[in-house]
Amino acid sequence: NFNEQTYDFSDLYLKTGPVLVMRTSFKYTSLNKLSGKEIAVMPDSAGTIILEKHPNILIRNYDSIAKALNDVSAGTIDGALVDRLMAESYCQDLYQGKLKIVTGPLDNSGLRLITLKNQAPEFVVAFNRGLQRLKSSKEYDKLLKKWGLKASETK
């Protein structure tokens, strides 16, 4: 709320929030279907808050993404909530074919254009219009692919 009183924000142009990473063999349907499953979260992340809404999921705290994903890969735990950009990197590199991202970003964390409150409202409006044109022309999806990201923005 403090930031909204001080700054104007554009629409999100890249969601970076936590995504759920699981073994490629796991048949995921939704967080509601993970009752009894052990899911790793990192300290100081939104993962705990997200998972607390699902009281039957067992939350396991890990101090590093690498340890959590090693345990997911080994079957020690069922999944891990990891920042989208880190998850994409690990799943495309070290864990290719072993782990997959099964959700889109689970919160609204991400990159936005920021200006001082009421200092450049026309700039924010123009930016949002341009972003919408990029998305509707499919150019946005091409850029995500170029950057090695999946177009899972709205999941």
Side-chain angles (χ1 to χ4, degrees):
N1 288 337
F2 167 77
N3 287 336
E4 290 176 354
Q5 294 171 2
T6 308
Y7 303 104
D8 286 328
F9 297 90
S10 74
D11 295 338
L12 273 173
Y13 63 88
L14 182 63
K15 285 190 171 188
T16 60
V19 295
L20 181 59
V21 176
M22 302 184 94
R23 288 181 300 287
T24 54
S25 61
F26 193 84
K27 303 297 181 226
Y28 170 82
T29 54
S30 77
L31 288 177
N32 294 328
K33 303 285 184 182
L34 296 179
S35 181
K37 301 293 183 196
E38 294 181 68
I39 307 297
V41 296
M42 303 308 121
D44 302 324
S45 75
T48 303
I49 294 168
I50 291 167
L51 292 182
E52 284 176 345
K53 297 175 186 170
H54 304 274
N56 294 326
I57 293 175
L58 304 171
I59 300 171
R60 298 291 176 238
N61 291 300
Y62 275 74
D63 59 359
S64 84
I65 294 170
K67 287 179 187 176
L69 294 180
N70 275 334
D71 281 357
V72 173
S73 182
T76 306
I77 59 173
D78 300 294
L81 283 186
V82 178
D83 171 81
R84 176 189 182 188
L85 299 177
M86 294 297 291
E88 295 272 5
S89 179
Y90 276 105
C91 289
Q92 291 175 22
D93 188 23
L94 294 173
Y95 296 101
Q96 187 174 33
K98 297 175 186 173
L99 299 180
K100 64 182 178 180
I101 297 171
V102 298
T103 67
L106 297 169
D107 67 14
N108 279 327
S109 300
L111 301 178
R112 300 172 187 265
L113 173 75
I114 301 172
T115 64
L116 289 172
K117 190 76 169 173
N118 300 321
Q119 295 298 307
E122 65 284 344
F123 185 51
V124 174
V125 169
F127 181 88
N128 287 340
R129 238 181 299 159
L131 181 59
Q132 289 308 315
R133 279 196 303 269
L134 268 178
K135 288 182 177 183
S136 53
S137 73
K138 304 296 181 196
E139 194 64 29
Y140 182 81
D141 290 341
K142 289 178 189 174
L143 288 170
L144 287 177
K145 185 176 180 181
K146 178 181 176 179
W147 297 328
L149 301 171
K150 299 203 177 12
S152 60
E153 292 295 304
T154 57
K155 288 184 181 179

